[in-house]
Amino acid sequence: MGSFLSFFLISSRTLALVLISVTGETLESNFLHHKKEKLTHFRVYWHDIVTGQDPSSVSIMNPPKKYTGATGFGLMRMIDNPLTLTPKLSSKMVGRAQGFYAGTSKEEIGLLMAMNFAILDGKYNGSTITVLGRNSVFDKMREMPVIGGSGLFRFARGYVQASTHEFNLKTGNAIVEYNCYLLHY
């Protein structure tokens, strides 16, 4: 069975390479052939609500007791955070940040952020961008890469700059300004 699987995988890869070399095109080059790359900038406010009756951020994993400390190492939260046009939660919601963040540093409060910004309004309604990177939350400005997108942001790449607008030490709720810079077709 193992040799059959190896033969099948090698044959499939060989066939794919032959088809690409014969046609001279891939899906990407065919799609991009008549498209012009553009730079888009937009700003949203990310509301991380961890308290109340309807939190947008919930703990899904707590660290072992030996790691419980000030840095949150090992903590993981799933998010469905509102994205609004202004820092006020009551302002127009233009999307949702859906994904998770996790405490990944024993030395400082450093998070791994993995989230999609799902745009729900305006010109980019139905489009998404994917942010994946390190967030040192107490730095004034943090930068994380945009690694892809969908809809009008298909083939997107770029970065976001995050700066904390407000953080409530008592509740843990936060409002973060995200400036998003995207190259896309």
Side-chain angles (χ1 to χ4, degrees):
M1 183 71 170
S3 62
F4 173 74
L5 184 58
S6 296
F7 172 75
F8 177 75
L9 290 175
I10 292 170
S11 298
S12 298
R13 286 183 185 159
T14 304
L15 179 61
L17 290 173
V18 168
L19 289 175
I20 288 171
S21 64
V22 168
T23 64
E25 288 190 15
T26 63
L27 173 64
E28 184 175 330
S29 65
N30 191 28
F31 172 80
L32 301 178
H33 186 66
H34 300 289
K35 303 272 185 180
K36 184 176 179 182
E37 193 170 43
K38 49 191 154 238
L39 174 65
T40 296
H41 167 257
F42 62 89
R43 177 180 53 220
V44 292
Y45 290 86
W46 182 90
H47 297 265
D48 196 42
I49 305 163
V50 299
T51 59
Q53 291 189 347
D54 190 23
S56 64
S57 175
V58 295
S59 179
I60 59 171
M61 184 181 298
N62 289 312
K65 289 203 187 291
K66 72 178 186 174
Y67 291 116
T68 347
T71 70
F73 178 69
L75 175 71
M76 183 181 282
R77 298 187 78 83
M78 192 66 60
I79 63 169
D80 187 11
N81 288 348
L83 298 173
T84 62
L85 285 180
T86 74
K88 292 185 181 280
L89 184 57
S90 60
S91 71
K92 184 173 186 170
M93 187 173 76
V94 294
R96 302 205 65 92
Q98 298 169 327
F100 67 89
Y101 60 84
T104 56
S105 176
K106 292 181 185 180
E107 308 298 320
E108 63 176 325
I109 298 180
L111 304 174
L112 165 66
M113 307 291 290
M115 59 186 168
N116 293 313
F117 283 9
I119 309 303
L120 304 173
D121 188 65
K123 177 180 179 179
Y124 301 110
N125 184 21
S127 301
T128 67
I129 64 169
T130 301
V131 177
L132 176 68
R134 184 173 194 275
N135 183 355
S136 296
V137 295
F138 288 120
D139 288 356
K140 183 178 170 109
M141 181 70 64
R142 290 92 67 195
E143 189 172 293
M144 292 167 274
V146 171
I147 61 168
S150 67
L152 292 177
F153 294 132
R154 188 177 298 147
F155 292 105
R157 64 189 190 284
Y159 65 97
V160 297
Q161 289 181 324
S163 59
T164 302
H165 179 77
E166 182 179 308
F167 177 67
N168 185 318
L169 280 171
K170 184 177 177 184
T171 65
N173 293 341
I175 302 168
V176 179
E177 178 182 333
Y178 274 84
N179 278 284
C180 307
Y181 298 89
L182 311 169
L183 285 171
H184 62 98
Y185 293 92

Short mmCIF file of all heavy atoms in Angstrom, two decimals, residues 45-74:
data_model
loop_
_atom_site.label_atom_id
_atom_site.label_comp_id
_atom_site.label_asym_id
_atom_site.label_seq_id
_atom_site.Cartn_x
_atom_site.Cartn_y
_atom_site.Cartn_z
N TYR A 45 -11.62 50.02 14.18
CA TYR A 45 -11.40 49.88 15.62
C TYR A 45 -11.89 48.51 16.05
O TYR A 45 -13.04 48.14 15.78
CB TYR A 45 -12.08 51.01 16.40
CG TYR A 45 -11.38 52.32 16.17
CD1 TYR A 45 -11.72 53.12 15.08
CD2 TYR A 45 -10.35 52.73 17.00
CE1 TYR A 45 -11.05 54.30 14.84
CE2 TYR A 45 -9.68 53.92 16.77
CZ TYR A 45 -10.03 54.70 15.69
OH TYR A 45 -9.35 55.87 15.44
N TRP A 46 -11.02 47.77 16.71
CA TRP A 46 -11.19 46.37 17.13
C TRP A 46 -11.60 46.40 18.59
O TRP A 46 -10.88 46.95 19.42
CB TRP A 46 -9.85 45.71 16.91
CG TRP A 46 -9.61 44.30 17.17
CD1 TRP A 46 -9.77 43.27 16.29
CD2 TRP A 46 -9.02 43.71 18.34
NE1 TRP A 46 -9.33 42.09 16.85
CE2 TRP A 46 -8.87 42.34 18.11
CE3 TRP A 46 -8.62 44.22 19.57
CZ2 TRP A 46 -8.34 41.47 19.06
CZ3 TRP A 46 -8.08 43.37 20.51
CH2 TRP A 46 -7.96 42.00 20.26
N HIS A 47 -12.77 45.84 18.90
CA HIS A 47 -13.30 45.87 20.27
C HIS A 47 -13.19 44.47 20.88
O HIS A 47 -13.94 43.58 20.49
CB HIS A 47 -14.76 46.34 20.27
CG HIS A 47 -14.93 47.73 19.77
ND1 HIS A 47 -14.98 48.82 20.61
CD2 HIS A 47 -15.03 48.22 18.51
CE1 HIS A 47 -15.13 49.92 19.88
NE2 HIS A 47 -15.17 49.58 18.60
N ASP A 48 -12.28 44.30 21.82
CA ASP A 48 -12.09 43.02 22.51
C ASP A 48 -12.87 43.09 23.81
O ASP A 48 -12.44 43.73 24.77
CB ASP A 48 -10.60 42.78 22.76
CG ASP A 48 -10.29 41.34 23.10
OD1 ASP A 48 -10.86 40.43 22.47
OD2 ASP A 48 -9.45 41.11 24.00
N ILE A 49 -14.03 42.45 23.83
CA ILE A 49 -14.93 42.53 24.99
C ILE A 49 -14.87 41.19 25.71
O ILE A 49 -15.37 40.18 25.21
CB ILE A 49 -16.37 42.84 24.53
CG1 ILE A 49 -16.38 44.13 23.68
CG2 ILE A 49 -17.30 42.95 25.73
CD1 ILE A 49 -17.62 44.31 22.85
N VAL A 50 -14.26 41.19 26.89
CA VAL A 50 -14.07 39.93 27.64
C VAL A 50 -15.04 39.81 28.82
O VAL A 50 -15.10 38.76 29.46
CB VAL A 50 -12.60 39.77 28.13
CG1 VAL A 50 -11.65 39.74 26.94
CG2 VAL A 50 -12.21 40.86 29.10
N THR A 51 -15.80 40.88 29.11
CA THR A 51 -16.72 40.86 30.25
C THR A 51 -18.15 41.07 29.77
O THR A 51 -18.40 41.36 28.60
CB THR A 51 -16.38 41.97 31.26
OG1 THR A 51 -16.46 43.24 30.59
CG2 THR A 51 -14.99 41.78 31.85
N GLY A 52 -19.08 40.93 30.69
CA GLY A 52 -20.48 41.19 30.39
C GLY A 52 -21.23 39.93 29.97
O GLY A 52 -20.68 38.83 29.97
N GLN A 53 -22.49 40.12 29.60
CA GLN A 53 -23.35 38.99 29.24
C GLN A 53 -23.09 38.45 27.85
O GLN A 53 -23.45 37.32 27.55
CB GLN A 53 -24.82 39.38 29.39
CG GLN A 53 -25.22 39.59 30.82
CD GLN A 53 -26.73 39.76 30.94
OE1 GLN A 53 -27.43 39.96 29.95
NE2 GLN A 53 -27.22 39.69 32.16
N ASP A 54 -22.50 39.25 26.97
CA ASP A 54 -22.26 38.82 25.59
C ASP A 54 -20.84 39.17 25.16
O ASP A 54 -20.64 40.01 24.28
CB ASP A 54 -23.30 39.48 24.67
CG ASP A 54 -23.28 38.91 23.26
OD1 ASP A 54 -22.82 37.76 23.08
OD2 ASP A 54 -23.71 39.63 22.34
N PRO A 55 -19.83 38.52 25.76
CA PRO A 55 -18.45 38.86 25.40
C PRO A 55 -18.15 38.45 23.95
O PRO A 55 -18.73 37.51 23.43
CB PRO A 55 -17.61 38.06 26.39
CG PRO A 55 -18.49 36.93 26.82
CD PRO A 55 -19.90 37.44 26.74
N SER A 56 -17.22 39.18 23.34
CA SER A 56 -16.80 38.84 21.97
C SER A 56 -15.49 38.06 21.99
O SER A 56 -14.99 37.65 20.94
CB SER A 56 -16.64 40.11 21.14
OG SER A 56 -15.60 40.91 21.67
N SER A 57 -14.93 37.86 23.17
CA SER A 57 -13.65 37.16 23.34
C SER A 57 -13.80 36.22 24.54
O SER A 57 -14.08 36.66 25.65
CB SER A 57 -12.56 38.20 23.60
OG SER A 57 -11.33 37.59 23.89
N VAL A 58 -13.62 34.92 24.29
CA VAL A 58 -13.78 33.95 25.37
C VAL A 58 -12.53 33.07 25.49
O VAL A 58 -11.89 32.73 24.49
CB VAL A 58 -15.02 33.05 25.17
CG1 VAL A 58 -16.30 33.87 25.24
CG2 VAL A 58 -14.95 32.28 23.88
N SER A 59 -12.22 32.74 26.72
CA SER A 59 -11.06 31.89 26.99
C SER A 59 -11.39 30.46 26.56
O SER A 59 -12.43 29.92 26.93
CB SER A 59 -10.72 31.93 28.48
OG SER A 59 -9.63 31.09 28.74
N ILE A 60 -10.51 29.87 25.75
CA ILE A 60 -10.71 28.48 25.35
C ILE A 60 -9.62 27.56 25.89
O ILE A 60 -9.75 26.35 25.83
CB ILE A 60 -10.80 28.32 23.81
CG1 ILE A 60 -9.55 28.83 23.12
CG2 ILE A 60 -12.05 29.01 23.28
CD1 ILE A 60 -9.49 28.51 21.64
N MET A 61 -8.55 28.17 26.41
CA MET A 61 -7.48 27.37 27.00
C MET A 61 -6.77 28.20 28.05
O MET A 61 -6.35 29.32 27.80
CB MET A 61 -6.46 26.94 25.94
CG MET A 61 -5.38 26.03 26.48
SD MET A 61 -4.17 25.54 25.23
CE MET A 61 -5.21 24.66 24.09
N ASN A 62 -6.65 27.62 29.22
CA ASN A 62 -5.91 28.27 30.30
C ASN A 62 -4.58 27.56 30.49
O ASN A 62 -4.50 26.33 30.32
CB ASN A 62 -6.72 28.25 31.60
CG ASN A 62 -7.90 29.19 31.52
OD1 ASN A 62 -7.76 30.33 31.13
ND2 ASN A 62 -9.08 28.70 31.85
N PRO A 63 -3.55 28.29 30.85
CA PRO A 63 -2.23 27.68 31.01
C PRO A 63 -2.18 26.77 32.24
O PRO A 63 -2.96 26.94 33.18
CB PRO A 63 -1.30 28.87 31.18
CG PRO A 63 -2.18 29.98 31.66
CD PRO A 63 -3.54 29.72 31.11
N PRO A 64 -1.23 25.82 32.26
CA PRO A 64 -1.02 25.03 33.48
C PRO A 64 -0.66 25.97 34.64
O PRO A 64 -0.10 27.04 34.43
CB PRO A 64 0.18 24.15 33.12
CG PRO A 64 0.23 24.13 31.64
CD PRO A 64 -0.35 25.44 31.18
N LYS A 65 -0.98 25.55 35.84
CA LYS A 65 -0.79 26.41 37.02
C LYS A 65 0.63 26.94 37.14
O LYS A 65 0.84 28.06 37.57
CB LYS A 65 -1.18 25.65 38.28
CG LYS A 65 -2.67 25.43 38.39
CD LYS A 65 -3.07 25.21 39.83
CE LYS A 65 -4.52 24.83 39.95
NZ LYS A 65 -5.45 25.86 39.62
N LYS A 66 1.64 26.14 36.76
CA LYS A 66 3.02 26.60 36.92
C LYS A 66 3.34 27.80 36.02
O LYS A 66 4.32 28.49 36.24
CB LYS A 66 4.02 25.46 36.70
CG LYS A 66 4.18 25.01 35.28
CD LYS A 66 5.22 23.92 35.21
CE LYS A 66 5.54 23.51 33.80
NZ LYS A 66 6.64 22.57 33.74
N TYR A 67 2.51 28.05 34.99
CA TYR A 67 2.75 29.18 34.10
C TYR A 67 1.82 30.35 34.37
O TYR A 67 1.88 31.36 33.69
CB TYR A 67 2.61 28.76 32.63
CG TYR A 67 3.70 27.85 32.18
CD1 TYR A 67 3.42 26.55 31.78
CD2 TYR A 67 5.02 28.27 32.17
CE1 TYR A 67 4.43 25.70 31.38
CE2 TYR A 67 6.04 27.42 31.77
CZ TYR A 67 5.72 26.14 31.37
OH TYR A 67 6.74 25.31 30.97
N THR A 68 0.91 30.23 35.32
CA THR A 68 0.00 31.34 35.59
C THR A 68 0.84 32.51 36.10
O THR A 68 1.55 32.39 37.07
CB THR A 68 -1.04 30.97 36.66
OG1 THR A 68 -1.05 29.59 36.88
CG2 THR A 68 -2.40 31.40 36.25
N GLY A 69 0.74 33.58 35.41
CA GLY A 69 1.52 34.75 35.81
C GLY A 69 1.10 35.97 35.03
O GLY A 69 0.10 35.96 34.31
N ALA A 70 1.90 37.00 35.15
CA ALA A 70 1.56 38.30 34.58
C ALA A 70 1.58 38.32 33.06
O ALA A 70 0.96 39.18 32.44
CB ALA A 70 2.51 39.35 35.12
N THR A 71 2.29 37.39 32.40
CA THR A 71 2.41 37.46 30.94
C THR A 71 1.27 36.76 30.21
O THR A 71 1.10 36.98 29.01
CB THR A 71 3.74 36.86 30.46
OG1 THR A 71 3.71 35.45 30.65
CG2 THR A 71 4.93 37.49 31.15
N GLY A 72 0.52 35.92 30.88
CA GLY A 72 -0.56 35.19 30.20
C GLY A 72 -0.07 34.07 29.30
O GLY A 72 -0.80 33.59 28.44
N PHE A 73 1.17 33.64 29.50
CA PHE A 73 1.74 32.57 28.67
C PHE A 73 0.83 31.33 28.73
O PHE A 73 0.46 30.86 29.79
CB PHE A 73 3.14 32.21 29.16
CG PHE A 73 3.78 31.08 28.40
CD1 PHE A 73 4.16 31.26 27.08
CD2 PHE A 73 3.98 29.85 28.99
CE1 PHE A 73 4.75 30.22 26.37
CE2 PHE A 73 4.57 28.81 28.30
CZ PHE A 73 4.95 28.99 26.99
N GLY A 74 0.43 30.84 27.57
CA GLY A 74 -0.42 29.65 27.49
C GLY A 74 -1.91 29.93 27.41
O GLY A 74 -2.70 29.04 27.12
#
